[in-house]
Amino acid sequence: MSGASNLLVGLAMGLNLLALASGRLPSIIRIAAAQGMVLGSLPLLLEGEFRWLTVLVAAGTIAVKGVVIPGLLQRALRAANIDREVEPLLGYIPSLLLGAGATIGAVVLAGMLPLLPEHAGSLLVPGSFATVVSGLLLLMGRAKAISQVCGYLILENGIYLFGLLLIRTMPLVVEAGVLLDLTVAVFVIGIIVDRIQREFDTLDTRKLTVLRE
Amino acid sequence: MKALGLILIPLAGALAALAWPSDRTRPWLLPAAGACHALLALALLAFPPPVAPGAWMGYDPLARAVLPAVSLLFLACSVYAVAYLGLHERRKNRGFVAGLLLLLGLISLAHQALHLGLLWIAVETATLCTVPLIHFNGTARAFEATWKYLLVGGTGIALSLFGSFCMGYASLHGGGAGDLTFAALAAQAHLLSHPWVAGAWVLLLVGYGTKMGLAPMHTWKPDAYGEAPGIVGALLAGGMTTTAFVALLRVRQVVDAAGGAGLTSRSLLLMGLFSMLVAALFLLGTRDFKRMLAYSSVEHMGILSVGAALGGAGVAAALFHVWNNSLTKGALFLSAGNIRRAAGARTVDEVGGMSLVTPVSARIFVVGMLAVTACPPFGPFFSELRILRATWAGGHVAGAAFFLTFLFLAFLGMSRLVFAIVDGRPRPAARATGPRFRETAGTLVPPLVLLGLSLGLGLAAPAALQQAWAAAAQTLFPAP
């Protein structure tokens, strides 16, 4: 586990906090895209030797997480012509504090869990936990559909980060299937956003309140 | 190899549906594929095929104990779908028919998946392919329901992947070579790292529990069931939820073997009882009869979870209850669909006197309600009795008392709503829309047959089925 990969994971953890503090939709999308690219390039550093398959996985991840999905989100944003404010349900300062708390908690928790010797000094495990929690915070703490999708993306990034621990031993079939499924999931969410926008004009999920007890 | 047919038949049907040119004749593909699937599933129930050791999928005892129920439910729904889509002639149904068949294929795959990753892929893709089915009606409310389904369900599915990875790491830490089949994990159980296994269980319980609709992760359910067409509601409540339940049972086997039996049974019992409580409270309050079915589904998932918490006897009873839930809930959803169409509304404030507008559907609805709230001699009574007995035998006296109380509250809530809709005088709206949606054989026979099957299971469950349930419970919880 090299210092370079830890640097990248640390960068991803910083991007979590940036996303939680950010108040405008375009910047959240850019942050999620940047995080996707950072994580996509990680397999190249983790694998000692050069393998085409690794390069392919990395390129695919960067393309999907860093380019395609953010592009779709940007398009939805333009098409909807909506206010760029994020409109938090949970304020920026509380989200940031919770995010920072989660980051510290993740490091502590990872220190307590039994890790294989080769993963002991790595930031992969705490980085993954912190990213998952940040994603969940964004998912629950923001009103607009697009920022929720970004939260979901960051949640996925956290899970992907954890998956990197297993990339060598677990069959690649699982990894590939996972990538495909996650892609489609967000893609479909994007389509739905498209439809919701046509139906409601704004992307404010707080207006989705007809159905309740 | 034959078991593979259970997946390939519906997938071939889905491809055929995509290629089929005519909207009018396409729905007939559903009963055709459904009948083949049901015949094969029942044949394999009677003559179990061998499962190769180390295989990633196979028709093992657990799949055998559950999948035929879903298959029968799908067959009934597919016959109903022909009549239903006939009523909506002008609407394009290519995606709908293909989506239903794809869903059946993926549910069959999920039930037969013996590999942690493959199981996740099957549940994930099944979730995605139900998305277009839920917003088939295309209304603003349907979009809202679909959005919530995707967001809540998507988060659940993401957490279950995280849980699967944690289980993978537990295996890696224990010196595993990366074999994630349940058999291999269970064989390696004593080496698995405990904290990771516990973490994996919590994440998988939350993740697959969301798909199952256990409280408090059930929030997507009333919306999705309320807005989706009756067939889709029936397949979600009787098909999708069973895949998540089977997934939890399979994972539980590994966690128990790794020494987490106390954790799994406590958490399942608590979540089960909590789901029953939440469902009972909402059943007492809701005024919408399609949302009522969703809360009833939450209640029954709670019952399954309680059963699963109780070891061998409880699991066998829970598998029996899976059948009862699928068949009875199917009858309720299909008859509720008939009533909703004729009434043009869904709340007790706008609907009444349906025994005069749709006499047969109203009767099926009342009898179905009695069946699902565990009135003898229908199946649910006997499976819930067995679960209650297992609760008692397990020494959970307070649990048994809560179980009975919640069942009683749910009965009060459901009967209040059902009789309010059936009795009284028809409202003006129903007088206007009722004649347009007359009851036909196509919309009446499927729920009647499902109700009949539920009655049959109560009166005399076939020996082959009893053996299948016992065998599945035996493989999951080998008697000491």
Side-chain angles (χ1 to χ4, degrees), chain A residues 114 116 119 139 148 152 159 162-163 169-171 181 189 196 199 205 208-211 213, chain B residues 124-125 143-144 147 150-151 154-155 158 165 168-169 172 178 193 196 223 227 286 291 295:
Chain A
L116 286 175
H119 299 143
L139 202 57
Q148 289 182 338
Y152 192 77
I159 296 171
F162 195 86
T169 38
M170 304 296 150
D181 285 330
I189 288 183
I196 288 189
E199 205 63 41
T205 50
L208 298 180
T209 51
V210 187
L211 302 177
E213 234 48 66
Chain B
E124 156 80 1
T125 39
F143 285 125
E144 180 180 338
W147 173 257
L150 200 54
L151 202 67
T155 308
F165 281 173
Y169 196 76
L172 198 64
S193 152
W196 287 106
D223 299 347
E227 299 310 318
T286 186
R291 292 169 75 84
Y295 289 118

mmCIF file of all heavy atoms in Angstrom, chain A residues 114 116 119 139 148 152 159 162-163 169-171 181 189 196 199 205 208-211 213, chain B residues 124-125 143-144 147 150-151 154-155 158 165 168-169 172 178 193 196 223 227 286 291 295:
data_model
loop_
_atom_site.group_PDB
_atom_site.id
_atom_site.type_symbol
_atom_site.label_atom_id
_atom_site.label_comp_id
_atom_site.label_asym_id
_atom_site.label_seq_id
_atom_site.Cartn_x
_atom_site.Cartn_y
_atom_site.Cartn_z
ATOM 1 N N PRO A 114 -10.285 -5.812 12.867
ATOM 2 C CA PRO A 114 -9.112 -6.599 12.475
ATOM 3 C C PRO A 114 -8.867 -6.467 10.971
ATOM 4 O O PRO A 114 -9.772 -6.704 10.175
ATOM 5 C CB PRO A 114 -9.514 -8.028 12.840
ATOM 6 C CG PRO A 114 -10.999 -8.026 12.838
ATOM 7 C CD PRO A 114 -11.442 -6.641 13.188
ATOM 8 N N LEU A 116 -6.142 -7.194 7.549
ATOM 9 C CA LEU A 116 -5.014 -7.984 7.074
ATOM 10 C C LEU A 116 -3.765 -7.107 7.146
ATOM 11 O O LEU A 116 -3.847 -5.891 6.990
ATOM 12 C CB LEU A 116 -5.258 -8.427 5.636
ATOM 13 C CG LEU A 116 -6.283 -9.551 5.460
ATOM 14 C CD1 LEU A 116 -6.526 -9.804 3.989
ATOM 15 C CD2 LEU A 116 -5.810 -10.817 6.137
ATOM 16 N N HIS A 119 -3.229 -4.383 4.644
ATOM 17 C CA HIS A 119 -4.151 -3.246 4.622
ATOM 18 C C HIS A 119 -4.013 -2.366 5.862
ATOM 19 O O HIS A 119 -4.747 -1.415 6.023
ATOM 20 C CB HIS A 119 -5.605 -3.733 4.554
ATOM 21 C CG HIS A 119 -5.897 -4.528 3.329
ATOM 22 N ND1 HIS A 119 -6.740 -5.616 3.322
ATOM 23 C CD2 HIS A 119 -5.441 -4.415 2.065
ATOM 24 C CE1 HIS A 119 -6.785 -6.138 2.113
ATOM 25 N NE2 HIS A 119 -6.010 -5.423 1.328
ATOM 26 N N LEU A 139 -27.669 12.362 0.924
ATOM 27 C CA LEU A 139 -28.898 11.735 0.434
ATOM 28 C C LEU A 139 -30.094 12.160 1.282
ATOM 29 O O LEU A 139 -31.174 12.446 0.782
ATOM 30 C CB LEU A 139 -28.712 10.221 0.515
ATOM 31 C CG LEU A 139 -29.553 9.316 -0.352
ATOM 32 C CD1 LEU A 139 -29.367 9.667 -1.793
ATOM 33 C CD2 LEU A 139 -29.127 7.883 -0.124
ATOM 34 N N GLN A 148 -29.600 14.764 -4.284
ATOM 35 C CA GLN A 148 -29.762 13.410 -3.734
ATOM 36 C C GLN A 148 -29.040 12.388 -4.605
ATOM 37 O O GLN A 148 -28.403 11.465 -4.098
ATOM 38 C CB GLN A 148 -31.240 13.051 -3.626
ATOM 39 C CG GLN A 148 -31.935 13.838 -2.526
ATOM 40 C CD GLN A 148 -33.378 13.463 -2.371
ATOM 41 O OE1 GLN A 148 -33.995 12.931 -3.295
ATOM 42 N NE2 GLN A 148 -33.940 13.746 -1.221
ATOM 43 N N TYR A 152 -26.102 9.813 -3.642
ATOM 44 C CA TYR A 152 -26.093 8.385 -3.966
ATOM 45 C C TYR A 152 -24.784 8.002 -4.646
ATOM 46 O O TYR A 152 -24.208 6.948 -4.362
ATOM 47 C CB TYR A 152 -27.295 8.061 -4.860
ATOM 48 C CG TYR A 152 -27.541 6.587 -5.015
ATOM 49 C CD1 TYR A 152 -28.141 5.867 -3.997
ATOM 50 C CD2 TYR A 152 -27.148 5.909 -6.154
ATOM 51 C CE1 TYR A 152 -28.348 4.510 -4.121
ATOM 52 C CE2 TYR A 152 -27.356 4.558 -6.286
ATOM 53 C CZ TYR A 152 -27.952 3.861 -5.268
ATOM 54 O OH TYR A 152 -28.152 2.513 -5.378
ATOM 55 N N ILE A 159 -18.556 2.589 -1.398
ATOM 56 C CA ILE A 159 -18.628 1.129 -1.493
ATOM 57 C C ILE A 159 -17.575 0.608 -2.473
ATOM 58 O O ILE A 159 -16.915 -0.401 -2.226
ATOM 59 C CB ILE A 159 -20.043 0.708 -1.907
ATOM 60 C CG1 ILE A 159 -21.026 1.127 -0.811
ATOM 61 C CG2 ILE A 159 -20.122 -0.774 -2.150
ATOM 62 C CD1 ILE A 159 -22.459 0.965 -1.183
ATOM 63 N N PHE A 162 -14.285 0.311 -0.861
ATOM 64 C CA PHE A 162 -14.134 -0.902 -0.064
ATOM 65 C C PHE A 162 -13.900 -2.106 -0.972
ATOM 66 O O PHE A 162 -13.119 -2.993 -0.654
ATOM 67 C CB PHE A 162 -15.371 -1.126 0.809
ATOM 68 C CG PHE A 162 -15.140 -2.124 1.891
ATOM 69 C CD1 PHE A 162 -14.594 -1.730 3.093
ATOM 70 C CD2 PHE A 162 -15.435 -3.458 1.702
ATOM 71 C CE1 PHE A 162 -14.340 -2.648 4.088
ATOM 72 C CE2 PHE A 162 -15.189 -4.386 2.693
ATOM 73 C CZ PHE A 162 -14.645 -3.972 3.895
ATOM 74 N N GLY A 163 -14.600 -2.108 -2.106
ATOM 75 C CA GLY A 163 -14.441 -3.216 -3.045
ATOM 76 C C GLY A 163 -12.999 -3.382 -3.502
ATOM 77 O O GLY A 163 -12.564 -4.483 -3.832
ATOM 78 N N THR A 169 -8.661 -10.939 -4.925
ATOM 79 C CA THR A 169 -9.049 -12.323 -4.639
ATOM 80 C C THR A 169 -10.438 -12.687 -5.141
ATOM 81 O O THR A 169 -10.675 -13.824 -5.504
ATOM 82 C CB THR A 169 -9.013 -12.571 -3.124
ATOM 83 O OG1 THR A 169 -9.484 -11.399 -2.493
ATOM 84 C CG2 THR A 169 -7.628 -12.908 -2.668
ATOM 85 N N MET A 170 -11.385 -11.728 -5.097
ATOM 86 C CA MET A 170 -12.750 -12.088 -5.475
ATOM 87 C C MET A 170 -12.845 -12.146 -7.002
ATOM 88 O O MET A 170 -12.241 -11.348 -7.696
ATOM 89 C CB MET A 170 -13.736 -11.057 -4.933
ATOM 90 C CG MET A 170 -13.654 -10.867 -3.436
ATOM 91 S SD MET A 170 -14.114 -12.343 -2.534
ATOM 92 C CE MET A 170 -13.135 -12.171 -1.056
ATOM 93 N N PRO A 171 -13.630 -13.051 -7.487
ATOM 94 C CA PRO A 171 -13.724 -13.214 -8.944
ATOM 95 C C PRO A 171 -14.098 -11.895 -9.619
ATOM 96 O O PRO A 171 -14.947 -11.156 -9.130
ATOM 97 C CB PRO A 171 -14.848 -14.239 -9.097
ATOM 98 C CG PRO A 171 -14.911 -14.939 -7.802
ATOM 99 C CD PRO A 171 -14.434 -14.001 -6.763
ATOM 100 N N ASP A 181 -24.080 -2.814 -12.795
ATOM 101 C CA ASP A 181 -25.337 -2.573 -12.094
ATOM 102 C C ASP A 181 -25.407 -1.167 -11.518
ATOM 103 O O ASP A 181 -26.413 -0.486 -11.641
ATOM 104 C CB ASP A 181 -25.501 -3.587 -10.965
ATOM 105 C CG ASP A 181 -25.883 -4.936 -11.510
ATOM 106 O OD1 ASP A 181 -26.542 -4.964 -12.544
ATOM 107 O OD2 ASP A 181 -25.526 -5.943 -10.900
ATOM 108 N N ILE A 189 -31.886 6.381 -12.485
ATOM 109 C CA ILE A 189 -32.256 7.500 -11.618
ATOM 110 C C ILE A 189 -32.257 8.787 -12.447
ATOM 111 O O ILE A 189 -33.144 9.623 -12.329
ATOM 112 C CB ILE A 189 -31.279 7.613 -10.428
ATOM 113 C CG1 ILE A 189 -31.524 6.461 -9.456
ATOM 114 C CG2 ILE A 189 -31.466 8.929 -9.705
ATOM 115 C CD1 ILE A 189 -30.678 6.504 -8.214
ATOM 116 N N ILE A 196 -39.421 13.434 -13.679
ATOM 117 C CA ILE A 196 -39.962 14.201 -12.558
ATOM 118 C C ILE A 196 -39.967 15.674 -12.918
ATOM 119 O O ILE A 196 -40.923 16.394 -12.663
ATOM 120 C CB ILE A 196 -39.118 13.981 -11.289
ATOM 121 C CG1 ILE A 196 -39.363 12.594 -10.748
ATOM 122 C CG2 ILE A 196 -39.466 14.999 -10.238
ATOM 123 C CD1 ILE A 196 -38.764 12.361 -9.399
ATOM 124 N N GLU A 199 -42.686 16.659 -14.963
ATOM 125 C CA GLU A 199 -43.953 16.566 -14.269
ATOM 126 C C GLU A 199 -44.138 17.698 -13.266
ATOM 127 O O GLU A 199 -45.206 18.229 -13.079
ATOM 128 C CB GLU A 199 -43.981 15.212 -13.539
ATOM 129 C CG GLU A 199 -45.334 14.674 -13.276
ATOM 130 C CD GLU A 199 -46.100 14.380 -14.526
ATOM 131 O OE1 GLU A 199 -45.500 13.851 -15.480
ATOM 132 O OE2 GLU A 199 -47.291 14.697 -14.564
ATOM 133 N N THR A 205 -37.763 17.713 -4.136
ATOM 134 C CA THR A 205 -38.472 16.525 -3.682
ATOM 135 C C THR A 205 -39.396 16.837 -2.512
ATOM 136 O O THR A 205 -40.192 16.007 -2.124
ATOM 137 C CB THR A 205 -37.499 15.417 -3.251
ATOM 138 O OG1 THR A 205 -36.558 15.978 -2.360
ATOM 139 C CG2 THR A 205 -36.801 14.807 -4.420
ATOM 140 N N LEU A 208 -42.817 16.450 -3.428
ATOM 141 C CA LEU A 208 -43.338 15.102 -3.609
ATOM 142 C C LEU A 208 -44.002 14.661 -2.311
ATOM 143 O O LEU A 208 -43.504 13.827 -1.585
ATOM 144 C CB LEU A 208 -42.212 14.139 -3.963
ATOM 145 C CG LEU A 208 -41.466 14.399 -5.260
ATOM 146 C CD1 LEU A 208 -40.400 13.351 -5.449
ATOM 147 C CD2 LEU A 208 -42.395 14.386 -6.441
ATOM 148 N N THR A 209 -45.125 15.274 -2.021
ATOM 149 C CA THR A 209 -45.732 14.976 -0.720
ATOM 150 C C THR A 209 -47.208 14.655 -0.835
ATOM 151 O O THR A 209 -47.927 14.741 0.143
ATOM 152 C CB THR A 209 -45.594 16.178 0.229
ATOM 153 O OG1 THR A 209 -46.061 17.321 -0.468
ATOM 154 C CG2 THR A 209 -44.171 16.373 0.673
ATOM 155 N N VAL A 210 -47.668 14.322 -2.043
ATOM 156 C CA VAL A 210 -49.083 13.952 -2.152
ATOM 157 C C VAL A 210 -49.328 12.649 -1.412
ATOM 158 O O VAL A 210 -50.366 12.462 -0.788
ATOM 159 C CB VAL A 210 -49.480 13.785 -3.631
ATOM 160 C CG1 VAL A 210 -50.966 13.582 -3.743
ATOM 161 C CG2 VAL A 210 -49.035 14.986 -4.433
ATOM 162 N N LEU A 211 -48.333 11.746 -1.517
ATOM 163 C CA LEU A 211 -48.519 10.423 -0.956
ATOM 164 C C LEU A 211 -48.041 10.403 0.477
ATOM 165 O O LEU A 211 -46.853 10.399 0.751
ATOM 166 C CB LEU A 211 -47.703 9.404 -1.753
ATOM 167 C CG LEU A 211 -48.006 9.325 -3.235
ATOM 168 C CD1 LEU A 211 -47.086 8.335 -3.882
ATOM 169 C CD2 LEU A 211 -49.443 8.934 -3.468
ATOM 170 N N GLU A 213 -49.516 9.629 4.831
ATOM 171 C CA GLU A 213 -50.648 9.304 5.698
ATOM 172 C C GLU A 213 -51.225 10.572 6.271
ATOM 173 O O GLU A 213 -50.512 11.460 6.677
ATOM 174 C CB GLU A 213 -50.150 8.383 6.815
ATOM 175 C CG GLU A 213 -50.940 7.113 6.918
ATOM 176 C CD GLU A 213 -51.122 6.441 5.579
ATOM 177 O OE1 GLU A 213 -50.170 5.977 4.952
ATOM 178 O OE2 GLU A 213 -52.285 6.381 5.135
ATOM 179 N N GLU B 124 -30.524 -6.749 -7.445
ATOM 180 C CA GLU B 124 -30.336 -5.396 -7.976
ATOM 181 C C GLU B 124 -31.033 -5.233 -9.331
ATOM 182 O O GLU B 124 -31.779 -4.285 -9.552
ATOM 183 C CB GLU B 124 -28.838 -5.110 -8.091
ATOM 184 C CG GLU B 124 -28.434 -4.056 -9.101
ATOM 185 C CD GLU B 124 -28.631 -2.639 -8.594
ATOM 186 O OE1 GLU B 124 -29.065 -2.483 -7.448
ATOM 187 O OE2 GLU B 124 -28.347 -1.701 -9.353
ATOM 188 N N THR B 125 -30.800 -6.182 -10.245
ATOM 189 C CA THR B 125 -31.400 -6.035 -11.570
ATOM 190 C C THR B 125 -32.919 -6.191 -11.480
ATOM 191 O O THR B 125 -33.642 -5.513 -12.216
ATOM 192 C CB THR B 125 -30.813 -7.064 -12.554
ATOM 193 O OG1 THR B 125 -30.651 -8.295 -11.862
ATOM 194 C CG2 THR B 125 -29.486 -6.613 -13.088
ATOM 195 N N PHE B 143 -45.103 8.803 -10.658
ATOM 196 C CA PHE B 143 -43.714 9.246 -10.701
ATOM 197 C C PHE B 143 -43.161 9.428 -9.302
ATOM 198 O O PHE B 143 -42.035 9.041 -9.003
ATOM 199 C CB PHE B 143 -43.594 10.571 -11.460
ATOM 200 C CG PHE B 143 -43.728 10.406 -12.932
ATOM 201 C CD1 PHE B 143 -44.667 11.127 -13.643
ATOM 202 C CD2 PHE B 143 -42.932 9.510 -13.621
ATOM 203 C CE1 PHE B 143 -44.805 10.963 -14.998
ATOM 204 C CE2 PHE B 143 -43.058 9.341 -14.985
ATOM 205 C CZ PHE B 143 -44.009 10.079 -15.676
ATOM 206 N N GLU B 144 -43.982 10.026 -8.452
ATOM 207 C CA GLU B 144 -43.543 10.240 -7.075
ATOM 208 C C GLU B 144 -43.223 8.901 -6.406
ATOM 209 O O GLU B 144 -42.179 8.737 -5.765
ATOM 210 C CB GLU B 144 -44.645 10.973 -6.304
ATOM 211 C CG GLU B 144 -44.265 11.240 -4.865
ATOM 212 C CD GLU B 144 -45.360 11.972 -4.113
ATOM 213 O OE1 GLU B 144 -46.202 12.623 -4.751
ATOM 214 O OE2 GLU B 144 -45.367 11.890 -2.880
ATOM 215 N N TRP B 147 -40.003 7.421 -7.806
ATOM 216 C CA TRP B 147 -38.825 8.113 -7.282
ATOM 217 C C TRP B 147 -38.471 7.599 -5.896
ATOM 218 O O TRP B 147 -37.331 7.265 -5.614
ATOM 219 C CB TRP B 147 -39.080 9.621 -7.265
ATOM 220 C CG TRP B 147 -37.986 10.363 -6.591
ATOM 221 C CD1 TRP B 147 -38.013 10.885 -5.345
ATOM 222 C CD2 TRP B 147 -36.684 10.622 -7.106
ATOM 223 N NE1 TRP B 147 -36.812 11.462 -5.043
ATOM 224 C CE2 TRP B 147 -35.971 11.319 -6.113
ATOM 225 C CE3 TRP B 147 -36.041 10.326 -8.316
ATOM 226 C CZ2 TRP B 147 -34.663 11.729 -6.274
ATOM 227 C CZ3 TRP B 147 -34.731 10.738 -8.474
ATOM 228 C CH2 TRP B 147 -34.061 11.430 -7.478
ATOM 229 N N LEU B 150 -37.128 4.041 -5.983
ATOM 230 C CA LEU B 150 -35.771 3.938 -6.469
ATOM 231 C C LEU B 150 -34.779 4.472 -5.447
ATOM 232 O O LEU B 150 -33.719 3.886 -5.233
ATOM 233 C CB LEU B 150 -35.659 4.707 -7.783
ATOM 234 C CG LEU B 150 -34.483 4.339 -8.646
ATOM 235 C CD1 LEU B 150 -34.467 2.850 -8.899
ATOM 236 C CD2 LEU B 150 -34.553 5.089 -9.953
ATOM 237 N N LEU B 151 -35.117 5.554 -4.816
ATOM 238 C CA LEU B 151 -34.175 6.172 -3.884
ATOM 239 C C LEU B 151 -34.007 5.310 -2.633
ATOM 240 O O LEU B 151 -32.886 4.984 -2.227
ATOM 241 C CB LEU B 151 -34.672 7.565 -3.497
ATOM 242 C CG LEU B 151 -33.585 8.478 -2.978
ATOM 243 C CD1 LEU B 151 -32.599 8.825 -4.074
ATOM 244 C CD2 LEU B 151 -34.182 9.749 -2.410
ATOM 245 N N GLY B 154 -32.818 1.810 -3.812
ATOM 246 C CA GLY B 154 -31.443 1.905 -4.292
ATOM 247 C C GLY B 154 -30.461 2.012 -3.143
ATOM 248 O O GLY B 154 -29.390 1.396 -3.169
ATOM 249 N N THR B 155 -30.822 2.786 -2.121
ATOM 250 C CA THR B 155 -29.938 2.903 -0.970
ATOM 251 C C THR B 155 -29.835 1.555 -0.257
ATOM 252 O O THR B 155 -28.746 1.130 0.140
ATOM 253 C CB THR B 155 -30.462 3.973 -0.002
ATOM 254 O OG1 THR B 155 -30.692 5.169 -0.750
ATOM 255 C CG2 THR B 155 -29.470 4.251 1.087
ATOM 256 N N ALA B 158 -27.623 -0.672 -2.207
ATOM 257 C CA ALA B 158 -26.218 -0.275 -2.090
ATOM 258 C C ALA B 158 -25.649 -0.766 -0.760
ATOM 259 O O ALA B 158 -24.530 -1.287 -0.706
ATOM 260 C CB ALA B 158 -26.082 1.242 -2.192
ATOM 261 N N PHE B 165 -19.602 -7.062 0.591
ATOM 262 C CA PHE B 165 -18.159 -6.832 0.572
ATOM 263 C C PHE B 165 -17.555 -7.103 1.954
ATOM 264 O O PHE B 165 -16.466 -7.670 2.063
ATOM 265 C CB PHE B 165 -17.854 -5.389 0.158
ATOM 266 C CG PHE B 165 -17.939 -5.154 -1.326
ATOM 267 C CD1 PHE B 165 -17.843 -3.875 -1.852
ATOM 268 C CD2 PHE B 165 -18.110 -6.204 -2.208
ATOM 269 C CE1 PHE B 165 -17.924 -3.651 -3.211
ATOM 270 C CE2 PHE B 165 -18.192 -5.993 -3.571
ATOM 271 C CZ PHE B 165 -18.097 -4.706 -4.073
ATOM 272 N N GLY B 168 -17.180 -10.593 2.305
ATOM 273 C CA GLY B 168 -16.027 -10.993 1.502
ATOM 274 C C GLY B 168 -14.729 -10.738 2.254
ATOM 275 O O GLY B 168 -13.814 -11.569 2.250
ATOM 276 N N TYR B 169 -14.664 -9.586 2.934
ATOM 277 C CA TYR B 169 -13.433 -9.266 3.664
ATOM 278 C C TYR B 169 -13.270 -10.208 4.852
ATOM 279 O O TYR B 169 -12.138 -10.607 5.178
ATOM 280 C CB TYR B 169 -13.439 -7.812 4.127
ATOM 281 C CG TYR B 169 -12.064 -7.348 4.522
ATOM 282 C CD1 TYR B 169 -11.133 -7.047 3.540
ATOM 283 C CD2 TYR B 169 -11.688 -7.253 5.844
ATOM 284 C CE1 TYR B 169 -9.849 -6.655 3.873
ATOM 285 C CE2 TYR B 169 -10.398 -6.863 6.191
ATOM 286 C CZ TYR B 169 -9.489 -6.559 5.200
ATOM 287 O OH TYR B 169 -8.216 -6.187 5.525
ATOM 288 N N LEU B 172 -11.775 -13.190 3.447
ATOM 289 C CA LEU B 172 -10.381 -12.927 3.086
ATOM 290 C C LEU B 172 -9.496 -12.940 4.337
ATOM 291 O O LEU B 172 -8.415 -13.520 4.357
ATOM 292 C CB LEU B 172 -10.320 -11.561 2.420
ATOM 293 C CG LEU B 172 -9.096 -11.229 1.582
ATOM 294 C CD1 LEU B 172 -9.026 -12.164 0.404
ATOM 295 C CD2 LEU B 172 -9.190 -9.787 1.093
ATOM 296 N N GLY B 178 -11.341 -16.456 -1.831
ATOM 297 C CA GLY B 178 -12.215 -15.650 -2.665
ATOM 298 C C GLY B 178 -13.450 -16.381 -3.148
ATOM 299 O O GLY B 178 -14.126 -15.899 -4.048
ATOM 300 N N SER B 193 -13.685 -13.670 10.325
ATOM 301 C CA SER B 193 -13.421 -12.662 11.344
ATOM 302 C C SER B 193 -14.738 -12.149 11.922
ATOM 303 O O SER B 193 -15.595 -11.650 11.191
ATOM 304 C CB SER B 193 -12.626 -11.531 10.703
ATOM 305 O OG SER B 193 -12.869 -10.334 11.362
ATOM 306 N N TRP B 196 -16.183 -8.418 11.367
ATOM 307 C CA TRP B 196 -16.615 -8.188 9.983
ATOM 308 C C TRP B 196 -17.898 -8.927 9.678
ATOM 309 O O TRP B 196 -18.761 -8.422 8.958
ATOM 310 C CB TRP B 196 -15.518 -8.604 9.001
ATOM 311 C CG TRP B 196 -14.371 -7.651 8.975
ATOM 312 C CD1 TRP B 196 -13.137 -7.835 9.516
ATOM 313 C CD2 TRP B 196 -14.361 -6.330 8.410
ATOM 314 N NE1 TRP B 196 -12.364 -6.716 9.321
ATOM 315 C CE2 TRP B 196 -13.076 -5.784 8.645
ATOM 316 C CE3 TRP B 196 -15.309 -5.570 7.733
ATOM 317 C CZ2 TRP B 196 -12.721 -4.508 8.224
ATOM 318 C CZ3 TRP B 196 -14.953 -4.295 7.318
ATOM 319 C CH2 TRP B 196 -13.678 -3.771 7.553
ATOM 320 N N ASP B 223 -46.360 3.773 -1.032
ATOM 321 C CA ASP B 223 -46.422 4.560 -2.256
ATOM 322 C C ASP B 223 -46.377 3.664 -3.478
ATOM 323 O O ASP B 223 -47.191 3.783 -4.392
ATOM 324 C CB ASP B 223 -45.259 5.555 -2.304
ATOM 325 C CG ASP B 223 -45.316 6.525 -1.143
ATOM 326 O OD1 ASP B 223 -46.374 6.561 -0.486
ATOM 327 O OD2 ASP B 223 -44.325 7.210 -0.891
ATOM 328 N N GLU B 227 -49.584 3.011 -6.023
ATOM 329 C CA GLU B 227 -49.637 3.604 -7.352
ATOM 330 C C GLU B 227 -49.446 2.594 -8.469
ATOM 331 O O GLU B 227 -49.862 2.836 -9.594
ATOM 332 C CB GLU B 227 -48.555 4.690 -7.478
ATOM 333 C CG GLU B 227 -48.725 5.829 -6.500
ATOM 334 C CD GLU B 227 -50.122 6.389 -6.511
ATOM 335 O OE1 GLU B 227 -50.695 6.553 -7.608
ATOM 336 O OE2 GLU B 227 -50.668 6.642 -5.424
ATOM 337 N N THR B 286 -54.989 4.200 8.234
ATOM 338 C CA THR B 286 -55.044 4.553 6.821
ATOM 339 C C THR B 286 -56.478 4.553 6.288
ATOM 340 O O THR B 286 -57.352 3.852 6.800
ATOM 341 C CB THR B 286 -54.170 3.607 5.976
ATOM 342 O OG1 THR B 286 -54.153 4.098 4.645
ATOM 343 C CG2 THR B 286 -54.701 2.194 5.973
ATOM 344 N N ARG B 291 -53.143 1.295 -0.143
ATOM 345 C CA ARG B 291 -52.057 1.463 0.828
ATOM 346 C C ARG B 291 -52.234 0.498 1.996
ATOM 347 O O ARG B 291 -51.259 0.042 2.591
ATOM 348 C CB ARG B 291 -52.002 2.909 1.309
ATOM 349 C CG ARG B 291 -51.582 3.872 0.223
ATOM 350 C CD ARG B 291 -51.784 5.301 0.626
ATOM 351 N NE ARG B 291 -50.788 5.777 1.570
ATOM 352 C CZ ARG B 291 -49.598 6.242 1.238
ATOM 353 N NH1 ARG B 291 -49.239 6.272 -0.015
ATOM 354 N NH2 ARG B 291 -48.767 6.675 2.142
ATOM 355 N N TYR B 295 -49.413 -1.935 3.930
ATOM 356 C CA TYR B 295 -49.131 -2.098 5.354
ATOM 357 C C TYR B 295 -49.346 -3.545 5.775
ATOM 358 O O TYR B 295 -48.627 -4.067 6.630
ATOM 359 C CB TYR B 295 -49.989 -1.140 6.186
ATOM 360 C CG TYR B 295 -49.542 0.284 6.017
ATOM 361 C CD1 TYR B 295 -50.376 1.252 5.486
ATOM 362 C CD2 TYR B 295 -48.246 0.647 6.348
ATOM 363 C CE1 TYR B 295 -49.944 2.547 5.300
ATOM 364 C CE2 TYR B 295 -47.799 1.927 6.163
ATOM 365 C CZ TYR B 295 -48.658 2.881 5.646
ATOM 366 O OH TYR B 295 -48.211 4.153 5.454
#
